[in-house]
Amino acid sequence: MESHAPVRPAARSWRERRLDRDGARGLRLSLAALAAFLVLLPFTLLAVLVAGAWPPLHDLDAAVTDTMYRYAVAHPTWTRTMNLWTDVFGPGPLRVAALALVVWLWARDARRLAAWVFATMAIGGLLSALLKLLVGRNRPDLLDPVAEAVGYAFPSGHAVNATLAAGVLLVVYLPYTRGRPGARAALWVAALVLAGLTGLSRVALGVHWTSDVVAGWLLGVAVVAATTAAFVVWRAPGATPSGVDEVAARPVR
């Protein structure tokens, strides 16, 4: 009897592997761009309603602010905690932490990822400041405020920057959690708490309307999605995907 050796599949060509990589990159790019567009739609609608002083939104904002303010006055410990949180995780400290991360990534030759972190924080911060001037919404005017803040209200700069920082945290550090679902879940919780509680603190202290904070969250998510899409395009031919290209890629060494 004749014996036949098993037929091995032919090795895939370099061109086929390249096409697969490009196809996956194109899919990630499309999804990131679509996410940015879809998030910007509710943000734009919210901005229009705020600029037009839509009564139902104004009444809802006022009711939430009144409730949160009464609670803050009646619970000094809660108010001190919110003041501490909003100071520690304000735009200034988060930008310093992001800059330190940029230096760390750059020193480890993860320069595209470092550039993405810098661009994401910078673009989001500049957009937030510009939109505040364009919308020109005043902050809540309380008789005996428990906290002070200057400048216009919409969108909340704290909420924007905390959301940007949460996005950076996920993109940079999720690769370290591959194969460790517990660590991955903890990282997601940390990112959500950072963005969520920072935004809540601004309403709790009576320095922002609820819609300011929601708009800040939406703008932050849109910026992270948009910069991710842009940096997926900016990749040298043949380069290995990094944290910007694929969250589940290998961690930076």
Side-chain angles (χ1 to χ4, degrees):
M1 295 180 60
E2 270 185 46
S3 62
H4 298 281
V7 178
R8 296 182 179 179
R12 302 177 68 206
S13 68
W14 172 86
R15 184 178 297 277
E16 288 174 326
R17 294 194 299 270
R18 175 71 179 276
L19 288 173
D20 284 349
R21 286 198 301 268
D22 289 346
R25 187 163 65 104
L27 177 60
R28 290 192 297 269
L29 168 62
S30 300
L31 291 176
L34 179 62
F37 176 74
L38 292 178
V39 174
L40 279 175
L41 287 180
F43 173 84
T44 303
L45 175 60
L46 194 54
V48 169
L49 295 178
V50 166
W54 191 48
L57 180 61
H58 177 272
D59 293 344
L60 177 61
D61 276 337
V64 173
T65 295
D66 182 64
T67 300
M68 297 293 283
Y69 172 69
R70 291 176 184 275
Y71 187 87
V73 171
H75 299 83
T77 301
W78 163 258
T79 303
R80 286 193 296 270
T81 301
M82 290 294 96
N83 267 305
L84 177 62
W85 184 277
T86 202
D87 289 341
V88 172
F89 296 102
L94 290 178
R95 287 168 186 160
V96 171
L99 183 58
L101 179 60
V102 167
V103 173
W104 181 78
L105 291 169
W106 194 273
R108 281 153 182 78
D109 206 29
R111 296 185 176 181
R112 286 187 64 256
L113 192 52
W116 175 81
V117 172
F118 182 85
T120 297
M121 296 299 294
I123 292 171
L126 289 173
L127 278 177
S128 174
L130 178 61
L131 287 166
K132 281 178 181 288
L133 294 175
L134 288 176
V135 177
R137 188 188 203 184
N138 292 322
R139 296 177 184 269
D141 185 15
L142 303 174
L143 183 61
D144 187 18
V146 297
E148 299 286 346
V150 297
Y152 290 119
F154 185 94
S156 165
H158 277 68
V160 171
N161 282 275
T163 305
L164 296 174
V168 166
L169 186 70
L170 291 172
V171 170
V172 174
Y173 289 106
L174 269 178
Y176 289 93
T177 66
R178 291 189 72 182
R180 295 187 293 164
R184 180 168 291 242
L187 190 62
W188 272 101
V189 169
L192 292 173
V193 168
L194 171 60
L197 194 53
T198 302
L200 174 65
S201 71
R202 306 306 285 167
V203 181
L205 295 172
V207 294
H208 272 293
W209 307 104
T210 302
S211 53
D212 300 335
V213 170
V214 173
W217 288 332
L218 291 172
L219 180 61
V221 172
V223 169
V224 170
T227 56
T228 299
F231 273 70
V232 166
V233 175
W234 177 47
R235 177 158 69 91
T240 302
S242 70
V244 177
D245 300 311
E246 185 177 357
V247 168
R250 291 177 296 176
V252 176
R253 298 296 182 189

